Amino acid sequence: MPLTSLSKYPAFGVLLGLFGALIITPDTLFMRLSEMDVWVMMVWRGLQMGGFLLLVWLAYALFSYTADKRAADMMALFSWQGLTAVGAIIFGGVTFVYGIAETSVSIVLFSLACSPLFAALFSAILLKEKTHAATWITMVVSLVGIALTVWGGDEAVAAPKGSVLIGALCGLSTAAALGLNFVMFRSRSDIPLLLANGLGAFITGLIGLFVLGASATGLSVVFTGNLLAISVSGLFILPVSFMALTAATRFTRAANVSLFMLLETVLGPVWVWLGTGERPGLLTICGGVIVVLSLAAYIRLLLKTDNS
């Protein structure tokens, strides 16, 4: 069934956003398993994800799209909404990788969990949308749970010893970029998802290459680390999850979609714990239970409301 038909069912956007959020939860695990420097990791994640999405769009453009469709995609991409979305993807890609390399996963993902607040703010300012009371209530309850995970963040074992403040600021910057990105895709539905996401990710990878090339080590370190681990992230997790999440904004509010990203805040540290031994504390687990339960109740309410 084409997306245009599915869009008649509001619950589809909720389920698509939930799917994308679940797929992205092990991303930080594979980042840790790669054992790569921040800029090397940025190169592989950006070029792999961006290259994959751009090739898929090119295949559609050459063998499926009409000339008018290709022209329309380019016009939408170079609109202010399209360029803003691409810029947000680039900015968020850089800050997220830097934050994960700097400090514990839980600190960065806690800050990233604020993306629903940014999405709601941008939606209210740019789209004049009203956010349901249930969304705000769920945000508050979820953030209380996430606050517990951060409170126990200093108890994390085997985490990087960088600055917690820098990591938190990177997470907040990524959250703002993610919220703005979702709102831009919702505000202009003709922005090509494959092309915008692919271009933004690819430019992020080029930024990593530029920084490495200008460093003392040069590009000689680009092949250090676990290439298989980072490829799982760059070629599967990121393309699938971001396509699902951005596509979901076509069918439901941006604040609702970004709210599902709270799942990564809870499950991301758990995956890293199981895979690398970077162990969250008891408060992290307790906070995770609160977030999962609040999200489950919220999703059930959305489905009931949309289908009534």
Side-chain angles (χ1 to χ4, degrees), residues 11 40 67 76 79 119 121 152 162 187 206 218 220 262 271:
V40 175
S79 65
L121 177 62
S187 67
L206 292 180
S220 60
L262 293 175
W271 286 119

Side-chain angles (χ1 to χ4, degrees), residues 200-219:
F202 199 82
I203 293 176
T204 302
L206 292 180
I207 291 174
L209 274 179
F210 175 80
V211 173
L212 285 178
S215 66
T217 58
L219 298 178

Side-chain angles (χ1 to χ4, degrees), residues 181-240:
N181 185 33
F182 287 159
V183 172
M184 289 299 98
F185 278 112
R186 180 163 175 79
S187 67
R188 181 158 181 167
S189 60
D190 59 341
I191 297 174
L193 298 176
L194 290 169
L195 186 55
N197 279 290
L199 182 61
F202 199 82
I203 293 176
T204 302
L206 292 180
I207 291 174
L209 274 179
F210 175 80
V211 173
L212 285 178
S215 66
T217 58
L219 298 178
S220 60
V221 298
V222 76
F223 290 102
T224 58
N226 190 329
L227 296 182
L228 177 60
I230 204 65
S231 295
V232 172
S233 178
L235 294 176
F236 174 71
I237 292 176
L238 292 176
V240 173

Side-chain angles (χ1 to χ4, degrees), residues 31-258:
M31 293 174 72
R32 283 285 188 260
L33 291 176
S34 73
E35 299 180 340
M36 289 179 169
D37 170 82
V38 55
W39 302 109
V40 175
M41 187 160 45
M42 195 178 298
V43 167
W44 287 103
R45 281 167 60 88
L47 295 185
Q48 286 182 330
M49 175 186 176
F52 179 86
L53 295 180
L54 288 176
L55 285 175
V56 173
W57 178 85
L58 184 61
Y60 275 109
L62 292 176
F63 301 108
S64 179
Y65 292 168
T66 63
D68 288 343
K69 169 59 177 171
R70 290 192 292 269
D73 274 6
M74 297 306 295
M75 289 184 62
L77 178 68
F78 287 100
S79 65
W80 75 266
Q81 296 96 331
L83 291 177
T84 301
V86 172
I89 293 167
I90 296 169
F91 185 74
V94 172
T95 55
F96 180 71
V97 175
Y98 196 92
I100 290 296
E102 182 73 14
T103 188
S104 67
V105 166
S106 61
I107 296 298
V108 179
L109 293 184
F110 162 74
S111 303
L112 180 61
C114 294
S115 61
L117 301 178
F118 286 106
L121 177 62
F122 289 132
S123 291
I125 295 173
L126 300 175
L127 306 184
K128 310 302 181 183
E129 289 185 345
K130 293 183 179 179
T131 304
H132 292 302
T135 302
W136 290 110
I137 293 172
T138 307
M139 285 182 185
V140 172
V141 175
S142 298
L143 288 174
V144 169
I146 294 170
L148 291 177
T149 70
V150 173
W151 195 356
D154 290 337
E155 302 173 1
V157 177
K161 302 302 181 181
S163 170
V164 173
L165 177 60
I166 292 177
L169 290 175
C170 284
L172 284 172
S173 299
T174 308
L178 187 61
L180 179 60
N181 185 33
F182 287 159
V183 172
M184 289 299 98
F185 278 112
R186 180 163 175 79
S187 67
R188 181 158 181 167
S189 60
D190 59 341
I191 297 174
L193 298 176
L194 290 169
L195 186 55
N197 279 290
L199 182 61
F202 199 82
I203 293 176
T204 302
L206 292 180
I207 291 174
L209 274 179
F210 175 80
V211 173
L212 285 178
S215 66
T217 58
L219 298 178
S220 60
V221 298
V222 76
F223 290 102
T224 58
N226 190 329
L227 296 182
L228 177 60
I230 204 65
S231 295
V232 172
S233 178
L235 294 176
F236 174 71
I237 292 176
L238 292 176
V240 173
S241 62
F242 273 87
M243 283 302 302
L245 288 167
T246 51
T249 62
R250 302 286 171 82
F251 312 118
T252 188
R253 295 177 184 273
N256 293 338
V257 175
S258 56

